[in-house]
Amino acid sequence: MEQRGREARRERQRWVACMFALVLVWSGASAQIKYSIPEESKEGTVVGNIAKDLGLDKNTLKERGYRIVTGSAEPLFQVNQNDGILYVNQKIDREQVCEESNTCVINLKTVLENPLEIHYVAVEVTDVNDHSPSFPETHKRIEISESVPPGTRFQLQAANSYSVTLSENALIGTTVIQVNATDLDEGSNGDVIYSFSNTVNSKLRKMFHVDANTGEIIVNGLIDFEIKDNYEIDIQAWDKGPTPLKTVKSVKVKIIDLNDNAPEIEVTSFSDAITEDARPGTTVALISVNDLDSGLNGKVICFVSEDVPFTLTPSLQDNMYSLVTKSSLDREKQNRFDLTIVAKDAGEPVLSSEKAISVIVSDVNDNRPEFLLSPYTFYVTENNPPGASVRVKAADVDEDDNALISYHILRDGGGDRKLTSFLNINSENGDILALKSFDFETLKTFQFQVVATDSGSPSLSSNVTVNVFILDQNDNAPVILYPVSSNGSAEGVEEIPRNVNVGHLVTKVRAYDADIGYNGWLLFSLLEVTDHSLFALDRYTGQIRTLRSFTETDEAEHKLLILVKDNGNVSLSATATVVVKAVEPKEAFAASDVKSAAKDDEENNVTFYLMITLGSVSALFLISIIVLIVMQCSKPTDYSSKYLQDVNYDGTLCNSIQYRSGDRRYMLVGPRMSIGSTIVPGSNGNTLVIPGRRQVSGEVRHVLIMVCLL
């Protein structure tokens, strides 16, 4: 038990030593402005120019709310916000303001907002001779016996006191002290009674009582150290003789302070919002703490209880603190802090109080707009109506104007600048409008940049790449390449010997469709024919062959009307007319020789041009590969290649469908399609004939090579 008591005392001693150390640190002397004025100065008397002496810009005082921090009572001084002059606000009575004090100094706290600054001003009120000497009583009655010998002295004031201590909040009835007077006389002349002296005022008579017989001074009212810390009571002792004699003694009662007052926290100046870019150490609020107790009971420490980026630092004066930031703030992570300020005194028992305040973190423009996707990829069907739109969207985590975003298209000197001139963007919502229709056959894809800019100061921006792929529609009808007459119509005449065998190739109808995929896949059919038993048309290749041999009864001239149509959802078509003439073998051979010679010349020319084209394409291909490698090495991200993977490009530009008809093998060559693909840009479809493995014509070889390379 004794050991625990010793440990408790040591702990209290360490606490007291710590408090003393903090007090010594916090109460260190620092320079401040000090003025002096005489008491009884009239209202409006100039004390000094604070703005000039502190080096403040007087033009900003009103804007920053320069003022003196005061309580609820009428302030003794005021400051002019226009010029920074400190003046007397009401008449000052030194004896009333600084009662029983030799030096009268009034300390003022002045505050500027935005940013928060605190300055201290001391005003000394000097004494003027405005009071004449006075007695505590206007008259005093002294009774003198007629038998008093000459030279007897009578006491006007109490004799020298001796003193006593009394704890505040002492219970009523508590004996303060017992005075004792003796009289050497005998009988009633030696009996002594006690009472207050005539100099004791009514307030003391309510707080204390004197027992007439015992001389005990007894507590009769509330003893509060914070109201008055000492009393002087004049006690007189009388005897009971026929001519009573008395003596007066003064009792000084010193009140001992108890820790009966918790600290009081007052937020004297507060900026309810602080910018998120405020540096550590920025002042948010000025906190004053007051404890009415004295000594250690009145020494207070103050701190913030939560783990927040704020702390309290002691100011120049005792029990004054500044609430400052201790680390960086980020409004986007937390825009409000609820703080609890705790004040504890060093008394026993320790008393404390709390004050809750909220600090709002205001926004600064420290975040760029961010697009929801990067890059954006849009599919636009060709022949779109002007005004068709797509939308890009960006967000900004800032607030108010700092998050207000506007959009515009970056129109630089790039190759797509001509295309972007046909685009318009709504600056408010990011809607991109096409001002014209697109044609897949002339433009398959393009890209451009959209910039999002916020409205902060300074503004921040970011951009995003927009890839646009044009989707093919079946808007091109097949074009007949053969037969074509001299006047441009799809008509032709073919002469064959009458003795041809079954399956003889009469001719081949060739056609082309500018669309791709199924929209460009052509099928052939016979609309009209003079004899269905004599000719057949391959629906995939367009080849016309004989089904039987000619007889003597067969007509010499036959007309075939061929329909060529694509496989679009709404198919488009074209027709060609072939007139087949059956002639005698000699005539057929003569005509065949002429055609063969012309055909050989034509094939030689075609072969020459194809070789030149093949060499050019190969050179361009190699150059493209080199450029692509250089670009890949210099750029970390290739959006176009990323995009092409997304739309099911599998890297193969050729696709073929093989089938047989009789003794011949056919291959339909066209762009490769992936299952589920909406569209794959590529080469136009073409139909090639592969007669057999042992007989491959030069034209077929060259055309097949070109199709696969392109």
Side-chain angles (χ1 to χ4, degrees), residues 263 265 287 289 300-306 312 321 339-345 351-356:
I265 303 174
I287 310 296
V289 182
V300 179
I301 59 171
C302 202
F303 57 91
V304 179
S305 62
E306 293 87 1
L312 289 174
Y321 299 86
L339 314 179
T340 302
I341 298 174
V342 179
K344 291 184 178 181
D345 61 26
L351 299 180
S352 64
S353 59
E354 297 181 352
K355 182 80 171 182

Side-chain angles (χ1 to χ4, degrees), residues 303-311 323-324 326-329 334 336-342:
F303 57 91
V304 179
S305 62
E306 293 87 1
D307 183 16
V308 292
F310 299 92
T311 188
L323 179 65
V324 300
K326 68 177 181 180
S327 60
S328 300
L329 304 175
Q334 189 169 354
R336 176 191 176 103
F337 292 91
D338 295 317
L339 314 179
T340 302
I341 298 174
V342 179

Side-chain angles (χ1 to χ4, degrees), residues 418-535:
K418 183 178 179 181
L419 291 173
T420 57
S421 64
F422 297 104
L423 301 175
N424 191 25
I425 189 168
N426 188 316
S427 62
E428 296 181 356
N429 58 23
D431 281 348
I432 304 172
L433 289 82
L435 302 180
K436 72 163 199 172
S437 297
F438 296 108
D439 184 8
F440 174 81
E441 285 69 41
T442 59
L443 178 67
K444 293 179 173 57
T445 180
F446 65 95
Q447 69 176 207
F448 57 93
Q449 298 280 324
V450 174
V451 181
T453 306
D454 60 32
S455 301
S457 179
S459 62
L460 300 176
S461 63
S462 60
N463 58 353
V464 70
T465 299
V466 179
N467 296 307
V468 179
F469 284 81
I470 309 301
L471 301 181
D472 183 42
Q473 278 191 326
N474 193 22
D475 59 343
N476 292 279
V479 176
I480 303 298
L481 300 179
Y482 184 84
V484 178
S485 63
S486 59
N487 61 3
S489 61
E491 296 180 358
V493 177
E494 296 289 338
E495 293 182 353
I496 61 173
R498 293 183 65 88
N499 61 350
V500 295
N501 296 325
V502 176
H504 176 76
L505 176 63
V506 178
T507 189
K508 175 183 176 180
V509 178
R510 293 183 176 90
Y512 167 80
D513 195 315
D515 296 320
I516 66 168
Y518 288 99
N519 295 331
W521 186 11
L522 302 181
L523 297 177
F524 302 84
S525 62
L526 283 171
L527 283 181
E528 297 178 8
V529 63
T530 54
D531 190 345
H532 287 284
S533 66
L534 188 56
F535 300 100

Side-chain angles (χ1 to χ4, degrees), residues 375-655:
Y376 276 90
T377 301
F378 296 109
Y379 302 91
V380 179
T381 305
E382 67 172 331
N383 304 320
N384 57 287
S389 65
V390 294
R391 173 175 289 188
V392 296
K393 184 69 175 177
D396 197 315
V397 295
D398 294 320
E399 64 178 2
D400 299 330
D401 288 344
N402 295 333
L404 185 61
I405 299 175
S406 61
Y407 303 87
H408 71 273
I409 295 175
L410 183 63
R411 306 182 193 274
D412 55 12
D416 289 337
R417 183 173 184 180
K418 183 178 179 181
L419 291 173
T420 57
S421 64
F422 297 104
L423 301 175
N424 191 25
I425 189 168
N426 188 316
S427 62
E428 296 181 356
N429 58 23
D431 281 348
I432 304 172
L433 289 82
L435 302 180
K436 72 163 199 172
S437 297
F438 296 108
D439 184 8
F440 174 81
E441 285 69 41
T442 59
L443 178 67
K444 293 179 173 57
T445 180
F446 65 95
Q447 69 176 207
F448 57 93
Q449 298 280 324
V450 174
V451 181
T453 306
D454 60 32
S455 301
S457 179
S459 62
L460 300 176
S461 63
S462 60
N463 58 353
V464 70
T465 299
V466 179
N467 296 307
V468 179
F469 284 81
I470 309 301
L471 301 181
D472 183 42
Q473 278 191 326
N474 193 22
D475 59 343
N476 292 279
V479 176
I480 303 298
L481 300 179
Y482 184 84
V484 178
S485 63
S486 59
N487 61 3
S489 61
E491 296 180 358
V493 177
E494 296 289 338
E495 293 182 353
I496 61 173
R498 293 183 65 88
N499 61 350
V500 295
N501 296 325
V502 176
H504 176 76
L505 176 63
V506 178
T507 189
K508 175 183 176 180
V509 178
R510 293 183 176 90
Y512 167 80
D513 195 315
D515 296 320
I516 66 168
Y518 288 99
N519 295 331
W521 186 11
L522 302 181
L523 297 177
F524 302 84
S525 62
L526 283 171
L527 283 181
E528 297 178 8
V529 63
T530 54
D531 190 345
H532 287 284
S533 66
L534 188 56
F535 300 100
L537 174 67
D538 191 293
R539 65 175 305 186
Y540 297 108
T541 65
Q543 293 179 346
I544 301 174
R545 296 180 180 274
T546 58
L547 293 175
R548 61 178 176 81
S549 299
F550 282 90
T551 64
E552 295 295 332
T553 60
D554 291 330
E555 296 181 359
E557 183 175 305
H558 298 270
K559 181 179 180 181
L560 288 75
L561 182 63
I562 293 95
L563 174 68
V564 183
K565 67 176 182 178
D566 57 31
N567 281 271
N569 290 331
V570 179
S571 64
L572 301 178
S573 63
T575 59
T577 301
V578 176
V579 176
V580 181
K581 291 183 179 181
V583 297
E584 294 302 324
K586 292 183 179 180
E587 298 177 2
F589 289 147
S592 175
D593 290 341
V594 174
K595 288 184 178 180
S596 175
K599 187 173 182 180
D600 288 341
D601 292 339
E602 180 182 356
E603 287 184 354
N604 290 334
N605 292 334
V606 169
T607 302
F608 175 72
Y609 290 130
L610 285 177
M611 291 177 64
I612 293 177
T613 304
L614 179 60
S616 302
V617 169
S618 300
L620 291 175
F621 179 74
L622 290 175
I623 294 173
S624 300
I625 291 297
I626 294 173
V627 172
L628 181 60
I629 292 174
V630 172
M631 292 178 63
Q632 289 292 338
C633 292
S634 61
K635 293 185 179 180
T637 305
D638 187 358
Y639 292 124
S640 61
S641 64
K642 178 182 178 181
Y643 169 74
L644 291 176
Q645 295 176 6
D646 292 340
V647 293
N648 299 317
Y649 284 95
D650 58 4
T652 303
L653 298 180
C654 291
N655 185 37

Side-chain angles (χ1 to χ4, degrees), residues 166-173 203-204 206-208 218-228 231 255 260:
L166 176 66
S167 297
E168 69 171 324
N169 303 326
L171 298 177
I172 295 176
K203 290 183 180 179
L204 281 176
K206 291 180 179 179
M207 297 183 65
F208 299 97
I218 301 171
V219 175
N220 197 41
L222 177 62
I223 306 298
D224 192 346
F225 175 87
E226 287 70 40
I227 297 177
K228 195 172 180 62
Y231 298 93
I255 307 301
D260 59 344

